[in-house]
Amino acid sequence: MSSDSARQPLRDLRFFVTAPHACSYLEDRQASTLFLDPQEMPGLDVYDRLTQHGFRRSGRHLYRPHCEGCNACISVRIPVTLFQPSRSQRKIIHRNADLTLSILPSGFEQTHYLLYARYIQQRHADGDMYPPSAEQYRSFLSLERDYAQLMEMHLGDRLIAVCAFDTLRQGLSAIYTFFDPAPELERRSLGTFAVLSLVARARTLGLPYLYLGYWIKECQKMAYKHNFRPLEQLDGRHWRPLILSD
């Protein structure tokens, strides 16, 4: 992509809005999504700026909620330099000290897909991604772009988790984490450990933020996000501290 396209003004981009459909997170709600024209294939500069405006990536698509009469989805991010792990999070870091972490480019790996399929079948059989398929996995998590990366977690020779994330200019963006659902690994809290590992990586890279996507107060599946404090929320056009009650 040329440097001219990398500096493309956001107002020149084309966006579309989906027709209302059933909300994936709140019962009896209708949802609509604003998404960037997939033909645009923006460079890192545009992607980074859209992230600061509350957009997320899923496969090739950059999107954000655009629901009439509902503002339940709140974009949240961790200010890395201010974050301090809680006592329980420090225990999780200690429990996983025996894991080997490695970073690699995003792409399709059969071992990753098999782990993903097992995770979806056992943990999210009631969700939109069930039943899993290799085609679905490729379209969701196998984007071959310089900013798209994967973090593998191994226990000895055993692959137990994969975290997909993007490296942007203003921070890291956590895309999706899947892990081995075996009962003996539950105590490791691998989803939480993945977020803590991304915070550590952002610090190492000197990046100020870790973007966690959307948080919905009424959605139990997203409750884990408010355990990472402090959090910032996108309030209109400005990022402000998210005030949470225990």
Side-chain angles (χ1 to χ4, degrees):
M1 178 158 302
S2 68
S3 58
D4 289 340
S5 62
R7 293 192 297 268
Q8 183 177 10
L10 298 184
R11 64 178 178 272
D12 291 345
L13 298 172
R14 293 197 303 170
F15 296 88
F16 299 94
V17 178
T18 65
H21 54 274
C23 179
S24 300
Y25 302 107
L26 299 176
E27 293 184 5
D28 303 322
R29 299 278 188 98
Q30 290 288 297
S32 294
T33 304
L34 176 71
F35 65 96
L36 179 67
D37 181 355
Q39 300 303 315
E40 295 279 356
M41 284 303 292
L44 180 59
D45 178 72
V46 169
Y47 179 14
D48 187 80
R49 285 185 286 147
L50 286 177
T51 297
Q52 295 176 53
H53 286 280
F55 279 75
R56 291 281 288 162
R57 181 178 72 80
S58 177
R60 290 170 51 90
H61 301 285
L62 295 179
Y63 72 94
R64 74 178 183 190
H66 191 75
C67 307
E68 184 175 353
C70 180
N71 295 306
C73 291
I74 299 173
S75 294
V76 293
R77 69 186 186 185
I78 299 172
V80 169
T81 57
L82 299 178
F83 175 76
Q84 293 294 330
S86 65
R87 182 182 178 186
S88 63
Q89 289 168 346
R90 291 195 298 271
K91 289 181 178 179
I92 290 170
I93 293 171
H94 178 73
R95 287 177 197 144
N96 290 288
D98 57 343
L99 299 186
T100 301
L101 276 56
S102 55
I103 306 297
L104 60 156
S106 177
F108 184 84
E109 296 284 347
Q110 184 68 12
T111 54
H112 295 171
Y113 169 66
L114 293 175
L115 179 62
Y116 168 84
R118 192 159 76 252
Y119 172 77
I120 295 297
Q121 289 165 352
Q122 295 191 33
R123 297 291 293 265
H124 295 288
D126 60 342
D128 295 341
M129 293 182 288
Y130 182 86
S133 69
E135 180 181 0
Q136 171 214 58
Y137 178 86
R138 287 179 187 274
S139 65
F140 179 32
L141 294 175
S142 297
L143 184 68
E144 295 183 356
R145 302 283 284 182
D146 290 343
Y147 53 72
Q149 297 175 294
L150 301 173
M151 177 186 293
E152 289 184 333
M153 301 182 189
H154 281 89
L155 178 60
D157 294 331
R158 177 183 177 186
L159 177 68
I160 63 170
V162 176
C163 173
F165 67 98
D166 291 341
T167 301
L168 307 176
R169 291 176 178 169
Q170 290 294 316
L172 302 182
S173 179
I175 303 299
Y176 195 73
T177 298
F178 53 94
F179 48 84
D180 191 327
E184 70 270 16
L185 298 175
E186 186 172 349
R187 191 167 177 269
R188 289 180 176 270
S189 301
L190 291 169
T192 294
F193 182 65
V195 175
L196 295 170
S197 299
L198 289 180
V199 169
R201 181 167 179 79
R203 279 184 174 149
T204 298
L205 296 174
L207 298 173
Y209 301 109
L210 172 60
Y211 292 86
L212 294 182
Y214 305 112
W215 174 71
I216 301 175
K217 183 177 181 180
E218 298 86 356
C219 181
Q220 186 59 36
K221 290 181 179 180
M222 296 186 180
Y224 75 93
K225 295 184 181 182
H226 65 62
N227 294 325
F228 298 92
R229 305 188 187 189
L231 273 181
E232 293 182 352
Q233 65 169 333
L234 183 60
D235 182 9
R237 296 184 178 182
H238 304 283
W239 289 91
R240 308 183 190 278
L242 176 62
I243 307 302
L244 296 163
S245 58
D246 292 319

